[in-house]
Amino acid sequence: MKLRPLLILSILLSTFTAFEQLTKAEKDILKNVEKNYVESVNFLEKTVNINSGTYNITGVRKVGVLYKQFLDELGFATRWIEMPSDMKRAGHLIGEIKGKKGKRLLLIGHMDTVFEPESPFQTWTRSDSTASGPG
């Protein structure tokens, strides 16, 4: 049946048309994301494979060190904020770029994987464009 090649062609044309409707800045961002895709996924894999369960203070701090290095390379001023020891939490990584022009942007994330050291999930397995743990 010839429907499948037409469907594929239709999808390709619609993707091309959508790309052509992007602004130059959006196209530049998309090209940069595509250019750095492999490096980004490798970095994600490296951080996810550090056991950093919520109560694994050492593991969360190891992830924090990786993200601190990454943000420092991007020009952020970074600092680590310790939590009181009775909270049994690793702390917070803060990264700032100060400026006087443009809009302000706040990004918030967390570094713990919620998998504790005794969890059967310790590393991810990559298969094409997906990643998963055991089972």
Side-chain angles (χ1 to χ4, degrees):
M1 181 182 261
K2 301 227 179 208
L3 182 60
R4 186 171 176 164
L6 289 175
L7 179 62
I8 292 170
L9 180 61
S10 174
I11 291 170
L12 289 173
L13 287 175
S14 65
T15 302
F16 180 75
T17 302
F19 181 79
E20 290 303 310
Q21 293 174 357
L22 297 175
T23 66
K24 179 180 180 338
E26 290 169 332
K27 288 178 185 177
D28 290 344
I29 291 169
L30 186 57
K31 287 176 186 174
N32 196 35
V33 167
E34 290 170 349
K35 180 178 95 178
N36 295 299
Y37 175 78
V38 171
E39 182 182 357
S40 298
V41 172
N42 289 340
F43 182 77
L44 177 63
E45 180 177 14
K46 184 176 183 178
T47 60
V48 169
N49 283 337
I50 295 172
N51 183 289
S52 57
T54 303
Y55 300 107
N56 184 347
I57 294 170
T58 301
V60 175
R61 287 183 178 154
K62 284 181 182 177
V63 172
V65 167
L66 288 178
Y67 277 94
K68 181 183 183 324
Q69 291 169 345
F70 179 76
L71 292 173
D72 288 345
E73 289 172 11
L74 291 176
F76 284 77
T78 57
R79 66 186 187 280
W80 186 264
I81 306 295
E82 293 289 343
M83 300 295 291
S85 61
D86 61 329
M87 292 187 73
K88 297 182 171 61
R89 296 293 191 276
H92 301 286
L93 174 64
I94 309 291
E96 292 182 287
I97 295 179
K98 295 191 178 190
K100 296 183 180 185
K101 296 191 306 185
K103 296 185 179 191
R104 293 181 180 181
L105 175 65
L106 172 66
L107 302 173
I108 299 176
H110 62 94
M111 295 178 283
D112 63 321
T113 58
V114 302
F115 297 106
E116 297 303 327
E118 64 277 0
S119 169
F121 181 84
Q122 294 297 319
T123 58
W124 79 353
T125 303
R126 217 186 302 191
S127 177
D128 295 324
S129 64
T130 61
S132 62

